[in-house]
Amino acid sequence: MVPSRVSREQRRIALRRKLHILRKLTNSKSVKKSSIIMDAFLYIYKLKLQLEAIRREYQNLINHIQEVKVEKFGTKFLVRVTCKKGKDLLVSIIEAFENLNLNIFQAKAACKHFFFMEAVVEDEDQVLDVKDVTEAVMTAIQKSSNDMAM
């Protein structure tokens, strides 16, 4: 065989192999090259629509996450907060602790896709209960959300 004819044959075989793979990936029943490519295009478009729907759902979930858990151990409270990110959210929560005269022993916070905080605080006056701390933290979160909306 002539070298140009060999390379042409190799290209044709490679193209057939790639079209076969494309047919398998997209579950195409077509045999014509143009139909296989069109099926692949439609398949990719459907995947893109599904991805956009998943992103919207994910964003909706992040925007509606809000959980405040408070547990009391003697004079100390373990406070866990999970909610959507907000402007000065950590500051608002710490101010709420200060307004209740709570001392912060330990706190850690993370803010990647949503805000998370875990803190151990102490009520030296021993006058607060779980409900008081929960309400103060919820109010702080609400205040931060309202500040962000303005």
Side-chain angles (χ1 to χ4, degrees), residues 3-49:
S4 65
R5 186 178 266 175
V6 171
S7 63
R8 200 176 313 143
E9 188 66 28
Q10 287 174 340
R11 282 195 303 262
R12 192 175 299 128
I13 291 170
L15 178 63
R16 260 190 266 141
R17 204 176 295 132
K18 289 175 184 174
L19 286 173
H20 179 71
I21 292 170
L22 200 54
R23 274 183 70 202
K24 290 285 186 189
L25 286 173
T26 60
N27 296 321
S28 175
K29 306 290 185 229
S30 303
V31 212
K32 290 174 44 182
K33 180 171 80 171
S34 60
S35 298
I36 294 170
I37 292 171
M38 184 54 94
D39 288 346
F41 173 78
L42 292 172
Y43 181 77
I44 291 168
Y45 184 73
K46 287 178 187 175
L47 288 176
K48 182 181 174 195
L49 292 176

Side-chain angles (χ1 to χ4, degrees), residues 41-105:
F41 173 78
L42 292 172
Y43 181 77
I44 291 168
Y45 184 73
K46 287 178 187 175
L47 288 176
K48 182 181 174 195
L49 292 176
Q50 288 174 351
L51 181 61
E52 289 172 3
I54 289 169
R55 282 187 178 144
R56 277 193 306 274
E57 185 178 335
Y58 174 74
Q59 197 60 43
N60 189 36
L61 285 173
I62 285 180
N63 287 337
H64 291 91
I65 289 175
Q66 183 166 319
E67 182 178 61
V68 176
K69 287 186 179 178
V70 179
E71 298 174 48
K72 188 171 184 174
F73 302 101
T75 61
K76 292 187 174 96
F77 293 93
L78 174 62
V79 181
R80 289 190 181 107
V81 178
T82 307
C83 62
K84 81 176 193 179
K85 294 189 264 186
K87 184 178 180 195
D88 300 327
L89 186 56
L90 183 59
V91 173
S92 296
I93 294 172
I94 291 173
E95 285 175 351
F97 290 158
E98 287 177 356
N99 291 340
L100 294 173
N101 293 322
L102 293 172
N103 294 323
I104 302 170
F105 272 100

Side-chain angles (χ1 to χ4, degrees), residues 133-148:
V133 177
T134 304
E135 286 177 4
V137 172
M138 294 291 276
T139 303
I141 292 170
Q142 198 62 38
K143 176 185 171 227
S144 178
S145 296
N146 291 342
D147 289 348
M148 197 168 148

Side-chain angles (χ1 to χ4, degrees), residues 103-115:
N103 294 323
I104 302 170
F105 272 100
Q106 178 184 359
K108 54 184 169 182
C111 194
K112 187 170 182 177
H113 300 291
F114 52 89
F115 176 82

